[in-house]
Amino acid sequence: MNRMQNRVRGWGARALVGAALAAAAVAGSLVVPAAASAATALPDGKTQETAAASCWEIKQNYPSQPSGVYWLLTPKLVYPQQFYCDQVSLGGGWVMIGRGREGWKENYNGLGTPEQIFSTPSGTAAFKPAQLPAKTVDGLLNGGRPDQLPPNSIRVNRASALDGTRWQEVRFSLTRRDRWNWTLSGGNPVGSWVFGGYTGSGGWTGSVGWGGPTMPQGYGFGNDDGTGWNMTGVAQRATHKYLEGWSYGAQVTGADTPTSYMWAPAGQGYAIPFAQMFVRPQLKLADLDFGTVPSTGTPASTLPSIPNSDAMKTVWGVSGLANGQAGELNVEVAEFGQAGNTVFAGGNFQYVQQTRDGAGKVEQPYLAGFDVNTGQWVSSFRPVLNGQVKAIATLPDGRLAIGGQFTTVNGVAQPALAFLDPVTGQLSGQQVKAEHRTVGAVPYIHDLDIQGGYLYVAGSMTHLTAVGTTTSASAWNGGRINLATGLPDTNWNANLNGTTVAVDASARGDRAYFAGYFDSKGGTYTPDGTAIQTGAGAPLTSPVWVPSFSESTVDAQGHYQGYLWQNGVAEIGDRVYLGGSQHSLFGYDRNTFQRVSGSITHNGGDIQTVDDNGSIVVAGCHCGDHAYQDKYLKKEITDPWTEVDKINYAGAWDAATGKYIPDWSPVVQSRAGQGVWGSFFDSTGALWIGGDLTDSMRAGQVNQWSGGFIRFAPRDSVAPSTPGAISSTPNADGATATLAWGASSDAGSGVTYEVLRGNRVIASTTATNLTVPVPAEATTYVVRARDVTGNRSASTAVFTLQPASPNALTFVTNGDSWSWRYSSDALPADWNAATFDASSWAVGKGLFARGVSGAATNIDPSNLATKPLSAQFRKTFTVDDPTTVVNGKVSVIANDGVVVYLNGVELGRVRMPAGAITQNTLANGVVSNATAVSNRVVFDVPAGALVAGTNVITASVHANYRATTDLSFDLAFTAERGTAPAPAPGPV
């Protein structure tokens, strides 16, 4: 590491980019122009259709473009999105990824909303931090590695005066970062850097200390002697309420006022300034590969099934310490299990209650049940225990097995292990008790697991004894119970020389894994994690599993010494995950027991529980900072890592690869920092985590009390249904057409439609139609639905929009002018005749509607108390040489029903009864305006229906019932110029 070569003495004088300019850019860039051109002009980022690959590309194409909001698109971004581009500073081309004063976060999913960043990039209104999701930043880099950006392509512009009149520019490069994240206090190695006019290289973002060899205090990159300008990434200090930000050094003070550009508590240094963060990827749209779209359209794509980062709403929680003891082995919730529709929480809590203030508070110590679907406390389940519950499992016959530190259940002596009725909480069936026959010792059950007809038991004990029988089995810190007989297995003894904390019996039925505080089985060395065969005699597997540890030494016998204990173990597929002391979660090959993956957490760090749902591993810990991927030793300098991510008392790893899943990034608070000691996936797929937890964050950054445990629903991983096929109709301007498609059946849950022209998304819209230019050559489109989570449907089949044909005829277009009436007055009988005088009718343009937002003509502007049941429309047009008009088609938006006439002759009807139609005839079907727009009705125009000169097309639109919420109509009439039919042969 190289120290800073020059102490920074001067402040930059660069002002922030004007918020007014940004707001103006937003106002002018949110709408896709109706007549946008598909020409080959260079991307300017002004519309979705003309999105550029980067702010830098816009700067190269249009050097005079001002700073402001632009549309950007890369294959990894998938669809055009808006960002703020600084096109002035340091050569321009910078995209803003975050801004704010104190209160920045390291969450992978960002902070606030992207709109807050691009709409309010500066000024006091921007002091509340907002940061892009890390995936969005990766999208801006098109999946490129941040450490492969051109030198000094990451930039922080921070205020250096209380009134915001002076600024300091800092630019730097990262040397070890394969994707973006916000863990800038996690010791990310830095390459080159620039502070104003001063340059250097080396150092780390943030300050890292592991209790071992560390960087000397103050050696984050950009630090000087503590009296100047300090760049530690993000700083957290008790005096500063642990708020994070781009702080200065000890001698730089701020002010705790709403308008100060440099914040600090009164009299304190380490001021946190308002700062803007940028990156400058140098990407051009023409260089990017968007792939190809087959004729059948694009396939569906879904996100991996992981828990939502936002917690479910707290309904009930727990509180109090029932045994009066605090500390990490006495947390409120340590374990979960489920029987039927009840999830049981066990631990050291004393009460169940509904709110932080104690609403509904009831004393129910150590074990309680909650409805799996609603989270409601199950008040009928009321066992009485005299000690902690640490283990829960559901037997095949439905009974609930519990283990822990208790000695009585409902007043009956039942030490450490009991089987309960899951409805009443009473002892049920044959009971087995745990014994510890060493003088002065008491039995303590830590974990239970069921596999192959056996209940495996882990804890501190010497025997398992069937109550009321003479059957007793040696079970030195691990044993099992035959569930068919209800008796302990006398031929299976784990025979470990120390307490076991966790057990996981393999789904393959051949072995059981134990973790804990032991180093041998029957004299064979197998420290703190072991695999024991399920056959009679409980032999060790071959090879014997000898785990490795993150902070240890090796003695003369080749045995590990130091911090070795392990708290959790789980087999998933061909891997075994072991977690415990000194922050380690390591993955091992099931067959060879070679270590194949690893992570270290920091600070605090010890892994306390390991669970899985078959595809992801969840580990709880008393870690509140970072998880380091591919790290195996606790010392950070001697053991580099590949990535550092945020972790907050619990994290998730991909079971198949051992890679950390940063997407699951919950915000959790803990009473005393003991963190998560229990985790469980219930029958709905929701994840429960428990410990000394007090608070969690719901969607919308809503903080809530979560006493003892928190629930996380599974993230939606189901694709929306495919939209209906695309159709097109011409518009009145002659230069554009309207594409329409059927709504996705998931539309009620808030889908957005992505419209692809060729292989690139050119619009995202919640409507089921889009106005596009009539092309100069055949152009393909597909539409797919995207849900709020980011799952995408399969697209429609490819629709080809043809260029305007020289033979094309358009008699009526969408949005044309019509004469219309919407009245309960008697309708003249000849209203649809070509000779009818409609001069007294109103005139307006389509779309005609009532109750429809965005309609061009509101047919009920006075909101009539009694709604007419129908509306009528007339339009005249002229036709030359009608004998050559062929392929005539009338395309109608009909909400609810409609009858269409041409020159007084009915062309067709939809959702209308047979027979004569009157003004008060009700439609016999109902559709919404959105459905009618995306599913237009098409009528063929028969030969001979048109006449030379003036023609009239009329329509009567009918409601399904008088109080229907909407009524709408528009129509287009197109045809082609063909050849006049040959005259009939004359008489011979």
Side-chain angles (χ1 to χ4, degrees), residues 43 194 265 276 347 355 424 429 585 616 643 746 760 772-773 800 812 917:
V194 178
Q276 300 166 310
T355 67
T424 66
L585 179 68
I616 67 173
E643 190 56 83
D746 300 76
R760 190 178 306 167
V772 298
T800 302
V812 183
I917 301 298

Side-chain angles (χ1 to χ4, degrees), residues 411-496:
V412 176
Q414 188 62 44
L417 181 65
F419 303 134
L420 307 181
D421 183 307
V423 176
T424 66
Q426 296 299 307
L427 290 168
S428 176
Q430 174 68 55
Q431 298 294 315
V432 176
K433 63 182 179 180
E435 296 181 284
H436 205 306
R437 297 181 182 177
T438 303
V439 176
V442 294
Y444 184 176
I445 301 303
H446 285 275
D447 200 14
L448 301 169
D449 194 31
I450 294 173
Q451 195 59 248
Y454 292 96
L455 174 67
Y456 288 84
V457 182
S460 177
M461 58 189 170
T462 61
H463 292 77
L464 293 171
T465 300
V467 176
T469 76
T470 59
T471 303
S472 183
S474 292
W476 286 80
N477 301 310
R480 69 184 186 186
I481 298 166
N482 187 317
L483 296 175
T485 64
L487 303 176
D489 187 344
T490 58
N491 291 318
W492 204 90
N493 176 9
N495 194 22
L496 297 167

Side-chain angles (χ1 to χ4, degrees), residues 67 70 123 164 334 446 716 887:
S67 298
Y70 293 90
H446 285 275
D716 179 12
N887 199 26

Side-chain angles (χ1 to χ4, degrees), residues 11-19 21 67 84-90 94 96 121-123 155-161 163-169 261 274-276 278:
W11 299 91
R14 182 169 291 103
L16 293 176
V17 183
L21 178 60
S67 298
Y84 186 86
C85 295
D86 178 353
Q87 304 294 59
V88 176
S89 305
L90 302 169
W94 298 94
M96 185 181 290
S122 60
R155 169 180 163 232
V156 175
N157 180 40
R158 56 182 181 171
S160 59
D163 60 0
T165 57
R166 294 195 308 271
W167 304 86
Q168 184 188 64
E169 290 281 6
Y261 276 77
F274 172 75
Q276 300 166 310
F278 303 85

Side-chain angles (χ1 to χ4, degrees), residues 515-546:
Y517 296 79
F518 53 85
D519 64 18
S520 67
K521 169 181 167 60
T524 300
Y525 185 60
T526 177
D528 298 291
T530 191
I532 302 174
Q533 298 181 50
T534 55
L540 287 166
T541 59
S542 179
V544 174
W545 184 17
V546 179

Side-chain angles (χ1 to χ4, degrees), residues 587-825:
Y588 297 84
D589 181 272
R590 182 189 193 273
N591 299 312
T592 66
F593 289 119
Q594 294 297 307
R595 191 177 60 189
V596 291
S597 67
S599 291
I600 300 288
T601 62
H602 172 73
N603 261 332
D606 283 358
I607 301 298
Q608 296 160 172
T609 178
V610 178
D611 200 2
D612 74 279
N613 66 355
S615 62
I616 67 173
V617 176
V618 170
C621 54
H622 59 273
C623 48
D625 290 308
H626 307 116
Y628 292 81
Q629 183 67 47
D630 300 317
K631 185 171 178 57
Y632 301 98
L633 300 175
K634 189 186 171 193
K635 309 295 192 294
E636 83 285 354
I637 290 179
T638 58
D639 183 40
W641 56 91
T642 58
E643 190 56 83
V644 52
D645 288 292
K646 177 65 177 175
I647 191 169
N648 194 6
Y649 297 121
W653 284 259
D654 181 272
T657 65
K659 297 295 186 182
Y660 191 77
I661 302 173
D663 307 51
W664 188 55
S665 184
V667 177
V668 175
Q669 293 184 39
S670 168
R671 172 182 52 80
Q674 307 301 342
V676 171
W677 284 83
S679 55
F680 175 72
F681 288 93
D682 69 25
S683 58
T684 71
L687 171 66
W688 301 54
I689 60 173
D692 68 335
L693 307 179
T694 60
D695 292 78
S696 63
M697 193 74 73
R698 296 207 318 265
Q701 299 180 52
V702 176
N703 187 75
Q704 66 174 356
W705 173 78
S706 293
F709 65 87
I710 305 167
R711 300 180 298 149
F712 299 90
R715 185 172 71 180
D716 179 12
S717 58
V718 177
S721 64
T722 301
I726 301 173
S727 63
S728 71
T729 52
N731 294 323
D733 58 16
T736 64
T738 295
L739 302 181
W741 53 88
S744 167
S745 61
D746 300 76
S749 59
V751 302
T752 297
Y753 299 101
E754 295 178 347
V755 182
L756 286 76
R757 177 188 293 145
N759 62 354
R760 190 178 306 167
V761 178
I762 54 95
S764 295
T765 176
T766 56
T768 53
N769 58 87
L770 182 73
T771 298
V772 298
V774 175
E777 56 186 31
T779 302
T780 61
Y781 289 89
V782 297
V783 176
R784 64 191 178 207
R786 181 183 78 239
D787 65 22
V788 294
T789 304
N791 300 299
R792 289 177 168 82
S793 73
S795 77
T796 61
V798 168
F799 172 82
T800 302
L801 184 62
Q802 299 292 345
S805 168
N807 297 322
L809 298 171
T810 301
F811 299 122
V812 183
T813 64
N814 296 314
D816 253 348
S817 293
W818 294 67
S819 298
W820 64 276
R821 75 185 293 275
Y822 181 59
S823 173
S824 296
D825 295 343

